[in-house]
Amino acid sequence: MQTRRIGPLTVSAIGLGEMPLSVSGRPSAEQAIETVHAALDAGVTFIDTADAYCLSSDDFGHGEELVAKALATYGSDTDGVLVATKGGHTRTGDGSWTVDSSRDYLRSACEASLKRLGVDAIGLYQHHRPDPEVPYAEAIGTIKELYDAGKVRHVGISNATVAQIQQAEAILGDALVSVQNQFSPKFRSSEDELAYCASRGLAFLPWSPLGGIGNASDLGGSLGTFGEVATARAVSPQQVALAWALAKAPVVIPIPGSSRPATIQDSVQAASLRLTDAELLSLG
């Protein structure tokens, strides 16, 4: 598979977004493990998860535990697989999403993630979402402390504006290697952040690159141009969407979510799909 860079690390150009395997509507544990294994079989070397990928506070950390189990049971070497997780998002007992970027919380969240993943240092630790109650520089400063303490090897931020990326750069320096924002054919509001990352050599990791859980079929319907290109190329609209994202800049690494082996097997084929200039122009 085509590869791309996250800081000094080389990973597959298509990653696996673990979220659909852990939130509401998730598959059985057996199918979830099979999906991760199918991704690894297909050459995926980048898996994105988060401690808040779960059903509620009673289930907190489900995603990280699932990834750890999948890697442990794979049966082949997984030393080259980069696992990214996040801290700063929380879940309540009824499953609502909340945020907490306080210093004490982020430190305890990182420690818990280390234990669930079974590692001495997290490969890529990402600040999940800005907390309106905590100054952004203060939250990123806490992440820097975790990096300096050797708890995390590389740092990323998520759901960030250009101004916040710049703040993080000033605090983290070379420790900052990635930005993960929502970006897809349907949600293009992070074009400026993508362009900034490209100018700075920061990996840009589009979350929900197919439009979000349950929306991937729109690529062949309401977003019909992607379906038209797919029909002409005899590939899936999802492959076209991921190839379109990859063509945006060499720093883009989409992380499509999958809940079945077949969907991630289809998605990874986008890494070898080269769209023409005319096709890209038609897709916007």
Side-chain angles (χ1 to χ4, degrees):
M1 187 194 296
Q2 179 188 157
T3 59
R4 294 205 163 174
R5 305 283 294 180
I6 298 180
L9 307 174
T10 299
V11 300
S12 53
I14 302 289
L16 172 66
E18 186 276 330
M19 184 177 181
L21 301 177
S22 292
V23 297
S24 180
R26 68 195 189 193
S28 67
E30 180 181 18
Q31 183 174 317
I33 295 291
E34 289 175 353
T35 301
V36 177
H37 287 178
L40 298 171
D41 288 342
V44 170
T45 58
F46 178 48
I47 300 175
D48 178 85
T49 186
D51 55 6
Y53 291 169
C54 58
L55 298 178
S56 70
S57 57
D58 294 335
D59 191 44
F60 204 70
H62 178 276
E64 293 174 331
E65 292 172 351
L66 172 65
V67 170
K69 182 176 181 180
L71 292 176
T73 59
Y74 181 53
S76 296
D77 182 28
T78 58
D79 287 346
V81 177
L82 174 63
V83 176
T85 192
K86 310 176 194 71
H89 230 334
T90 62
R91 304 298 297 273
T92 63
D94 65 4
S96 298
W97 297 81
T98 60
V99 292
D100 189 343
S101 288
S102 64
R103 184 172 185 271
D104 287 347
Y105 180 77
L106 288 175
R107 289 171 64 87
S108 65
C110 182
E111 292 292 345
S113 292
L114 285 165
K115 292 178 182 178
R116 284 189 289 261
L117 292 170
V119 296
D120 295 326
I122 295 169
L124 175 59
Y125 195 60
Q126 304 165 98
H127 181 248
H128 204 151
R129 186 177 289 273
D131 181 346
E133 301 300 321
V134 178
Y136 195 69
E138 181 180 320
I140 300 304
T142 301
I143 303 294
K144 178 64 159 56
E145 292 175 4
L146 297 172
Y147 172 79
D148 289 341
K151 304 287 186 181
V152 305
R153 293 195 172 94
H154 305 283
V155 178
I157 56 176
S158 185
N159 302 295
T161 64
V162 170
Q164 288 168 333
I165 300 171
Q166 292 170 335
Q167 275 188 287
E169 284 183 300
I171 295 166
L172 292 162
D174 291 342
L176 180 68
V177 297
S178 65
V179 175
Q180 183 177 141
N181 280 13
Q182 184 176 22
F183 188 78
S184 70
K186 188 175 182 179
F187 299 97
R188 306 191 188 195
S189 59
S190 283
E191 286 275 11
D192 289 347
E193 288 74 22
L194 191 162
Y196 184 80
C197 287
S199 74
R200 301 292 293 169
L202 294 169
F204 185 82
L205 316 175
W207 60 265
S208 292
L210 301 178
I213 297 174
N215 294 322
S217 60
D218 289 348
L219 294 166
S222 60
L223 296 167
T225 307
F226 286 84
E228 292 168 7
V229 172
T231 298
R233 287 297 200 98
V235 298
S236 70
Q238 291 75 29
Q239 284 187 43
V240 174
L242 295 172
W244 166 83
L246 286 168
K248 286 285 181 178
V251 299
V252 175
I253 304 172
I255 47 173
S258 297
S259 57
R260 295 180 293 115
T263 53
I264 190 59
Q265 289 165 345
D266 179 76
S267 289
V268 298
Q269 295 181 56
S272 59
L273 177 62
R274 300 293 187 273
L275 300 175
T276 67
D277 290 344
E279 288 169 333
L280 291 169
L281 182 62
S282 73
L283 297 171

